[in-house]
Amino acid sequence: MCPDWACIYDARVAYSLNAINYLAGANQPIFPTPPGQNSRLKILDITTLLLSQRLQNGESSDPNKMKKNHFIPQADTYLKYLALLRGVSTNLWEDPGRIHEVEMLLFSLADGEIYSDVFERLSNRFSPCLRTS
């Protein structure tokens, strides 16, 4: 409807954003993930991986408290997403108007390179002598 400033926010894009956060150390709040159908992305639950890095000792297991402490509020998600896209577009091309290219890149890499990077990070956590085929 508004191609000058609006982009699609879906499960693949959220997965990519959260996976990048996970791979970079989980220092940023988690983007809520809309429901998706991609079985490959569902097998490596990025939200759980992020929480495994962000949770502090003794922190409450109450989902509402976890959402408040670790997730971008639902009402703020889309605007924060658009701001992030504009920032990336500006950094890459010195043009905040190329947000659709950033969005397409996040979408297209989700179940390929990004999934593989998350899998590699997980598989390298354990010593080779502990792995079984």
Side-chain angles (χ1 to χ4, degrees):
M1 263 177 101
C2 303
D4 292 340
W5 63 268
C7 285
I8 295 170
Y9 180 78
D10 66 358
R12 285 184 190 217
V13 167
Y15 187 92
S16 289
L17 292 170
N18 287 329
I20 292 167
N21 185 8
Y22 168 73
L23 294 167
N27 296 317
Q28 302 301 314
I30 301 167
F31 275 89
T33 305
Q37 300 301 316
N38 189 309
S39 60
R40 189 166 195 202
L41 298 182
K42 287 181 179 182
I43 198 79
L44 291 178
D45 178 12
I46 198 66
T47 300
T48 301
L49 294 174
L50 276 165
L51 285 171
S52 74
Q53 289 187 338
R54 292 180 58 89
L55 292 174
Q56 303 295 315
N57 283 339
E59 192 165 339
S60 173
S61 65
D62 176 21
N64 291 326
K65 288 183 181 177
M66 280 194 285
K67 282 184 180 182
K68 181 180 178 195
N69 293 334
H70 299 287
F71 286 76
I72 296 170
Q74 194 78 31
D76 300 338
T77 299
Y78 191 67
L79 292 178
K80 288 196 179 284
Y81 167 62
L82 292 177
L84 179 65
L85 293 184
R86 280 191 299 277
V88 171
S89 178
T90 300
N91 286 335
L92 290 177
W93 299 290
E94 297 180 6
D95 178 1
R98 296 177 71 175
I99 59 176
H100 294 92
E101 292 174 58
V102 179
E103 178 247 335
M104 288 186 286
L105 187 62
L106 291 168
F107 180 88
S108 67
L109 295 177
D111 67 352
E113 287 85 352
I114 290 177
Y115 173 89
S116 295
D117 288 348
V118 171
F119 181 82
E120 185 176 326
R121 164 72 69 85
L122 281 173
S123 66
N124 287 334
R125 283 182 36 198
F126 305 102
S127 167
C129 63
L130 297 177
R131 289 191 196 146
T132 59
S133 298

